[in-house]
Amino acid sequence: NQMCHPELDLIVKEKMLETVDDAGKKIWSCSICYYTSNKTTNMYKHIERKHLNVNLFCEVCHRVFKSRDDLNVHKRLHTAEVF
């Protein structure tokens, strides 16, 4: 969930550039490197993993992750039901 870290949202958004391609579709560009994507979620993952020195900890096992997406995927392991 991107809204659980509002200060991180602001930092990431500062590094995202929005443009429109010839077909009128939004394209997001990283202001630090040449990465582009048509999805904001991919841009969030890219900037957090590649350009920000963030350490996000799992509250259950204390494992460290470099993006909120990676942490959220991992958290599902702790909440998954075992059959």
Side-chain angles (χ1 to χ4, degrees), residues 47-56 66:
I47 292 172
E48 289 178 14
R49 287 178 184 151
K50 302 297 182 186
H51 301 301
L52 299 182
N53 189 21
V54 294
N55 290 315
L56 304 169
K66 293 294 182 186

Side-chain angles (χ1 to χ4, degrees), residues 3-81:
M3 296 313 293
C4 65
H5 297 93
E7 61 283 343
L8 191 53
D9 276 344
L10 292 173
I11 294 167
V12 171
K13 286 178 183 177
E14 289 176 351
K15 299 180 183 337
M16 292 170 55
L17 304 172
E18 179 183 346
T19 57
V20 178
D21 68 9
D22 294 336
K25 294 183 181 180
K26 287 184 183 179
I27 301 291
W28 299 96
S29 302
C30 177
S31 66
I32 301 168
C33 69
Y34 295 105
Y35 179 82
T36 61
S37 178
N38 61 349
K39 295 184 179 182
T40 57
T41 54
N42 290 344
M43 188 59 64
Y44 271 84
K45 289 182 224 179
H46 165 77
I47 292 172
E48 289 178 14
R49 287 178 184 151
K50 302 297 182 186
H51 301 301
L52 299 182
N53 189 21
V54 294
N55 290 315
L56 304 169
F57 297 91
C58 173
E59 298 157 352
V60 176
C61 68
H62 308 291
R63 188 171 168 194
V64 180
F65 297 89
K66 293 294 182 186
S67 78
R68 289 175 283 185
D69 184 67
D70 294 338
L71 175 59
N72 289 334
V73 169
H74 167 78
K75 281 182 175 180
R76 291 183 203 139
L77 297 174
H78 293 303
T79 58
E81 291 185 30

